[in-house]
Amino acid sequence: MAQNEITVRALAVVNEERTIHGLKFGDYAKYRRHCSNKLHRLRHTLKLTHGKEKNFKKLPEIATENLKDGHLLLDLFEAERSWAYAQELLLEATKTKQTSVRRHALSRLRKALQWAKELSDRSSALHSSNPQRISHTSHAEISAYHLMLRGRFERTKDEFESALSNLAVSRSLLDALTNAAMSSRDQALYAVF
């Protein structure tokens, strides 16, 4: 297989998808449905379906040299879907004051964090491979996204010191990306997060 460079602008994709599909108006349910549909299309495109009906088949692990843009987008949208569901549940938990709903929201945030870690690990593997298959900018964006989700998860769990350190590192990465950005559009994108 040819060693193509992977160009996934994680923060640009997330920002665009969130603004277009419901989060402009705080509709987390609509955004979660969009992420589910997007995941279905990505899996079908990458031929990573799990079988039909009761015939579940576990997917094999994908080697680093076989990774494509779509594999990273798959992890990104899995994280986004779990994050959107957690936000939806947290809104419900603040209205109803039910601790079971809050616990469920924390479990969905934890799942989003797992997917973001998987995305970050794949990005690191691609970044350290020889030849390097992902740009420094894409790798930094993915790392900032992972640290941001980790910080928000820890803040929700009331672990404020570790949340602050993760969010500070994420912010410093975003500031470095802002300083290195070639266009004002990219600078504005990094300022949004």
Side-chain angles (χ1 to χ4, degrees), residues 74-90:
L74 198 64
D75 292 339
L76 181 66
F77 279 105
E78 286 279 9
E80 281 292 294
R81 180 178 64 170
S82 295
W83 173 82
Y85 191 26
Q87 296 306 311
E88 186 181 343
L89 289 170
L90 284 172

Side-chain angles (χ1 to χ4, degrees), residues 11 20-23 25-26 30 41 55 61 75 80 84 86 106 111 115-117 124 132 146 148 162 164 172 181 185:
L11 296 180
I20 293 174
H21 299 284
L23 287 196
F25 306 107
K30 180 180 177 186
R41 288 191 307 271
N55 300 329
E61 192 65 32
D75 292 339
E80 281 292 294
L106 281 173
K111 189 59 136 173
W115 284 111
K117 180 158 178 32
S124 296
Q132 181 178 331
H146 173 245
M148 203 176 344
S162 57
L164 182 63
S172 65
R185 180 179 295 246

Side-chain angles (χ1 to χ4, degrees), residues 123-153:
S123 171
S124 296
L126 289 169
H127 192 260
S128 63
S129 67
N130 194 7
Q132 181 178 331
R133 294 191 53 215
I134 194 167
S135 68
H136 296 295
T137 305
S138 296
H139 180 61
E141 282 187 17
I142 290 171
S143 298
Y145 177 77
H146 173 245
L147 289 169
M148 203 176 344
L149 270 183
R150 178 175 290 285
R152 289 178 181 168
F153 170 68

Side-chain angles (χ1 to χ4, degrees), residues 8-12 135-145 148 169-191 193:
V8 172
R9 299 283 316 273
L11 296 180
S135 68
H136 296 295
T137 305
S138 296
H139 180 61
E141 282 187 17
I142 290 171
S143 298
Y145 177 77
M148 203 176 344
V169 172
S170 173
R171 185 74 250 163
S172 65
L173 265 174
L174 290 169
D175 288 342
L177 284 168
T178 302
N179 293 336
M182 296 294 190
S183 69
S184 59
R185 180 179 295 246
D186 286 342
Q187 290 175 345
L189 171 69
Y190 299 136
F193 285 92

Side-chain angles (χ1 to χ4, degrees), residues 56-121:
F56 179 81
K57 62 175 184 173
K58 185 171 170 63
L59 297 174
E61 192 65 32
I62 301 164
T64 305
E65 57 271 0
N66 295 333
L67 285 176
K68 300 177 187 170
D69 290 355
H71 295 103
L72 295 181
L73 287 175
L74 198 64
D75 292 339
L76 181 66
F77 279 105
E78 286 279 9
E80 281 292 294
R81 180 178 64 170
S82 295
W83 173 82
Y85 191 26
Q87 296 306 311
E88 186 181 343
L89 289 170
L90 284 172
L91 281 176
E92 183 183 332
T94 56
K95 291 176 186 171
T96 61
K97 305 288 188 212
Q98 291 181 341
T99 57
S100 61
V101 177
R102 181 174 163 76
R103 278 196 309 269
H104 190 192
L106 281 173
S107 74
R108 295 316 302 170
L109 272 175
R110 192 173 294 112
K111 189 59 136 173
L113 189 58
Q114 287 174 355
W115 284 111
K117 180 158 178 32
E118 175 74 22
L119 174 66
S120 181
D121 291 345

